[in-house]
């Protein structure tokens, strides 16, 4: 186990960024950068046939959007931890990335020590953010001023929806009828003014109403 190195892949459309990261990360004990790509398509082809522990993924690529690419990566390789690595710091992009399965979000001006710490944290199964991103997501958003009031049962069902459970599964676990669960879900959508479950979860995440990995 001591000889096991964290296998990292870098995806960025700037070769100079890739080379700098490679040099820094390969010098760290326990890390190895096995591959790098400048496009999303190349990465997808690679992960279909190779095991990867960590992917450092830029948001803006010539052939794809990083947040959508993250979703695709997690479908193909659920065990791979994706850390978004970007200059973009909009709260909506950060939240969308996490919603699509990212294990973290780091800005490109992050120090090497903080980057190493975040990679180790994501490898251990945690959701990680650099200090600047933690500061951004801790600030109230416009949606925070309209935090809906939920019943105890609605909070319970909201959490289970966020965990990806179906109405039938939720009904079985809570000893309710599927119809009752569907009614609660409709009420949640209405209270959050959300169009669908994905938007519901995103809004609840922004308002810290869902428990998750820290």
């Amino acid at each position: 186990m001591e000889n096991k190195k964290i296998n990292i892949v870098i995806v960025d459309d700037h070769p100079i960024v890739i080379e700098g990261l490679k040099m820094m990360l390969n010098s760290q004990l326990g890390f190895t950068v096995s591959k790098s790509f400048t496009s999303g398509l190349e990465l997808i082809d690679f992960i279909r046939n190779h095991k990867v522990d960590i992917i450092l993924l830029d948001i803006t690529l010539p052939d794809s959007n990083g947040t959508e690419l993250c979703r695709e990566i997690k479908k193909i390789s659920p065990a791979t931890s994706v850390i978004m690595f970007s200059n973009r710091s909009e709260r909506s992009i950060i939240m969308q990335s996490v919603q699509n399965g990212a294990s973290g979000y780091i800005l490109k001006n992050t120090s090497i020590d903080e980057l190493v710490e975040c990679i180790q944290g994501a490898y251990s199964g945690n959701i990680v953010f650099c200090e600047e991103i933690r500061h951004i997501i801790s600030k109230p958003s416009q949606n925070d001023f309209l935090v809906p009031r939920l019943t105890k049962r609605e909070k319970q069902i909201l959490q289970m929806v966020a965990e990806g459970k179906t109405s039938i599964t939720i009904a079985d676990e809570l000893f309710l009828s599927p119809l009752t669960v569907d009614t609660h879900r409709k009420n949640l959508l209405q209270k959050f003014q959300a169009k669908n479950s994905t938007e519901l979860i995103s809004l609840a995440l922004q308002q810290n109403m869902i428990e998750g990995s820290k």
Side-chain angles (χ1 to χ4, degrees):
M1 186 70 180
E2 288 182 4
N3 295 326
K4 170 81 169 71
K5 288 193 172 186
I6 298 176
N7 177 17
I8 302 167
V9 165
I10 302 167
V11 188
D12 195 290
D13 62 339
H14 294 95
I16 194 166
V17 172
I18 290 175
E19 290 308 312
L21 281 171
K22 272 186 185 177
M23 189 167 62
M24 287 189 294
L25 293 175
N26 281 330
S27 69
Q28 298 293 317
L29 193 64
F31 286 2
T32 180
V33 177
S34 60
K35 205 77 177 173
S36 61
F37 302 99
T38 55
S39 76
L41 187 60
E42 292 175 307
L43 169 72
I44 292 299
D45 288 342
F46 181 77
I47 62 170
R48 289 188 194 280
N49 302 301
H50 299 85
K51 183 182 179 297
V52 178
D53 296 321
I54 299 283
I55 295 176
L56 288 179
L57 178 62
D58 194 5
I59 290 286
T60 307
L61 295 168
D63 63 345
S64 53
N65 174 286
T67 55
E68 293 306 314
L69 185 60
C70 177
R71 189 201 298 271
E72 188 66 24
I73 293 166
K74 296 302 286 186
K75 284 181 185 175
I76 297 168
S77 181
T80 299
S81 294
V82 180
I83 300 175
M84 310 311 292
F85 188 69
S86 177
N87 287 320
R88 303 285 297 274
S89 59
E90 295 95 322
R91 185 188 175 108
S92 58
I93 294 177
I94 300 163
M95 293 304 180
Q96 188 61 54
S97 298
V98 174
Q99 184 61 43
N100 285 1
S103 294
Y105 201 107
I106 301 172
L107 294 178
K108 288 185 177 179
N109 62 0
T110 299
S111 70
I112 182 62
D113 290 341
E114 194 169 24
L115 175 60
V116 167
E117 187 179 335
C118 286
I119 290 172
Q120 290 169 335
Y123 181 69
S124 298
N126 299 317
I127 304 292
V128 296
F129 302 106
C130 65
E131 186 176 353
E132 193 172 335
I133 293 298
R134 282 197 300 270
H135 180 66
I136 290 167
I137 61 177
S138 70
K139 288 180 180 176
S141 70
Q142 287 184 329
N143 292 318
D144 292 331
F145 298 114
L146 297 170
V147 177
R149 298 185 65 163
L150 305 183
T151 65
K152 186 177 179 182
R153 180 65 83 192
E154 285 171 341
K155 289 177 183 176
Q156 198 173 21
I157 290 174
L158 175 62
Q159 181 63 41
M160 296 173 89
V161 170
E163 291 167 3
K165 295 178 179 178
T166 64
S167 291
I168 293 173
T169 302
I170 294 170
D172 286 343
E173 291 186 17
L174 298 181
F175 304 103
L176 299 171
S177 73
L179 184 60
T180 300
V181 174
D182 282 337
T183 300
H184 281 302
R185 292 183 73 146
K186 285 176 185 174
N187 289 341
L188 284 166
L189 289 173
Q190 190 173 29
K191 285 187 176 184
F192 279 88
Q193 298 182 359
K195 299 183 186 70
N196 50 46
S197 294
T198 301
E199 188 176 346
L200 169 67
I201 294 165
S202 180
L203 290 168
L205 184 66
Q206 289 180 44
Q207 295 167 359
N208 296 318
M209 298 180 77
I210 299 173
E211 293 178 9
S213 301
K214 198 170 180 181

